[in-house]
Each structure stands twice: as C-alpha cells, then as structure tokens.
Amino acid sequence: DAGITQSPRHKVTETGTPVTLRCHQTENHRYMYWYRQDPGHGLRLIHYSYGVKDTDKGEVSDGYSVSRSKTEDFLLTLESATSSQTSVYFCAITDSGRGGVHNEQFFGPGTRLTVL
Amino acid sequence: ILNVEQSPQSLHVQEGDSTNFTCSFPSSNFYALHWYRWETAKSPEALFVMTLNGDEKKKGRISATLNTKEGYSYLYIKGSQPEDSATYLCAFGTGTASKLTFGTGTRLQVTL
C-alpha cells in the first residue's frame, strides 16, 4: 500500500470555524491532490500541488485553501466552514510521469467532515 | 469543466453474468484514461491507466478498451462474482494540466 495517511479521520465542527485537514505521504511523490466526495457527484478536485509551494485550483476550490511547505505534507484549510462543506475528503498522490496523469493515483483513507 | 460521463449509473447482476460499463470523455487533448474500483467504506484503487488509442488492458476477469478518437472506454467484467460489487470510476486526464476529471461512477452489485 502507498504510504499515505490523512488526519483527522473524522471531524465534527460548527459553521464559521476554521478547519485544517492534513495529508501525509512517505512516497516522495511530486503530485498531491485534495478531492471531495458527495452523492451524485463522484470525486471532485478541490486543489492540487505539483511541488513544494506549487499549487493550483480544481473545479470546486471556492472556500478552500491549501499549502505545501514540505514534499510529504499537503494541508487543506476551510477558512470558515459552512454546512455545504460537509463531505468526505480524499487525498491522493501520484508520481511525476508525463504531467502527472500517466500514472495511477493512490488514495488516502479519507476524512469525514461534518459541519453543523 | 470537462464532461466525463459513465453509464449505466448502477447495475445489478447475478453471479456468473458478464457485464460492461461505458465511460465517455472529450476526444480532444487526450492524455490518459484511468479506471478505479471503489468498494464501500474504502478508498478508490486503480485498475488501469490507458494512454494510447486502441489500448486494451486486462487484470484477471476485468478488462478495458480505449477509443480516443471517438472518446469512449469500456470496462468488462467476465463471470461477475459478489466480490466485484463496487463502484467503478473512470477519470480523464488532459495534457494541459496535471489533474484528472472523474466520472460519477457505475455502481455494480453482484448477487448470488
């Protein structure tokens, strides 16, 4: 199994509070991704990183920010959580390949976030 | 936003049946097509990554084909078993960005 962990695994928070989710990898892979999974939508990309301090937006980035100060860690922050951000969040990693899409992605175990 | 569509949305088959699913994606700027298997309460796991038109991949009873010119891929499962029950996701990768766009998946349920 790819060495990828997420923390916390479960979190319940209140509307308006900041929340940070952590993705940690031991594979030294260049690319890291944050997705959210919602019924009827499959996996939607929030943000991704293609190197330390290099990040870009995905299709559902509003309300989220990310940071990557080390190869192994990719943080997802909800500055002010809303109920619409209740979801399961998955981190994924992949090796470089040609632009990062030629190699399979390895997924973390997921974080279930509930915003009340 | 790229449009990646999967059909059917769900499928219920009997053990031993063979089945197939479809993934449709844009035919322009193609770089890769991924298939993932996602069991309930687990994380998605890669089945195949295909990059060339006409690619065919096989893993046990599961195989996939790719047609980049017309923008579709088929996933086949021969002799379905209950352990094949899962959601099967396809994902499209373009050359303009290092990211995948996922379809919403086909949920397969195999009963005895």
Side-chain angles (χ1 to χ4, degrees), chain A residues 31 33 35 37 40-43 45 48 57 59 90 98-99 101-105 107-109, chain B residues 1 31-32 34 36 38 42-44 46 49 51 89 93-94 97-104:
Chain A
Y31 293 90
Y33 305 83
Y35 296 93
Q37 181 226 342
H41 290 279
L43 287 170
L45 182 65
Y48 70 103
K57 295 178 180 180
E59 63 178 296
F90 284 95
R98 287 162 55 189
V101 297
H102 279 215
N103 295 335
E104 63 186 281
Q105 292 191 3
F107 286 82
Chain B
I1 296 178
Y31 255 50
H34 295 218
Y36 291 83
W38 194 358
K42 294 187 178 180
S43 305
V49 178
T51 58
L89 297 172
T94 75
S98 305
K99 56 187 180 181
L100 298 174
T101 300
F102 282 82
T104 54

Side-chain angles (χ1 to χ4, degrees), chain A residues 40-75:
Chain A
H41 290 279
L43 287 170
R44 291 184 293 174
L45 182 65
I46 305 171
H47 283 279
Y48 70 103
S49 170
Y50 47 95
V52 173
K53 298 192 189 312
D54 292 323
T55 65
D56 204 351
K57 295 178 180 180
E59 63 178 296
V60 290
S61 59
D62 287 349
Y64 301 95
S65 62
V66 290
S67 66
R68 191 170 179 198
S69 58
K70 301 185 289 185
T71 298
E72 57 265 36
D73 288 325
F74 191 32
L75 304 180

